[in-house]
Amino acid sequence: MVVDKRLVLVQNSAMKQAKAMTVRLSEEQAQALEMVASVENRPVSDIIRAAITTHIETRRRDPSFQAGLKDRISQARKLLDR
């Protein structure tokens, strides 16, 4: 299996609309990703979506991230109130 270093991500097909995104990987990352997908007998896109989901869920549970998010929301509200 050969994966172009410019991977295209598409959200889970169960969603009504999918958004394609391009991700540039180093040669080493692309090879490692191909190996993981091969060993798990899964499409590369599934591995990428799972990694993104895990990252987002980890951020959601991180108090430091939550504080930063609340700060951004507060800044946006201040800009809108001007």
Side-chain angles (χ1 to χ4, degrees):
M1 173 172 52
V2 176
V3 176
D4 188 329
K5 286 194 281 183
R6 296 169 291 137
L7 296 173
V8 176
L9 304 180
V10 180
Q11 292 179 351
N12 189 335
S13 60
M15 303 186 98
K16 290 183 180 181
Q17 291 186 352
K19 181 173 182 174
M21 302 181 83
T22 301
V23 176
R24 297 193 188 279
L25 302 174
S26 68
E27 187 65 34
E28 183 178 325
Q29 289 173 316
Q31 289 175 355
L33 181 58
E34 290 172 343
M35 184 59 64
V36 169
S38 174
V39 169
E40 294 186 3
N41 197 29
R42 294 171 57 195
V44 169
S45 58
D46 284 358
I47 304 298
I48 293 168
R49 281 191 294 272
I52 291 169
T53 297
T54 298
H55 182 75
I56 291 169
E57 290 304 318
T58 300
R59 305 300 344 130
R60 285 181 176 154
R61 291 188 298 271
D62 180 355
S64 176
F65 177 82
Q66 288 297 318
L69 182 58
K70 288 176 184 174
D71 184 53
R72 293 282 174 98
I73 291 169
S74 176
Q75 289 175 19
R77 283 190 180 133
K78 288 176 185 174
L79 287 173
L80 290 174
D81 288 344
R82 290 184 185 173

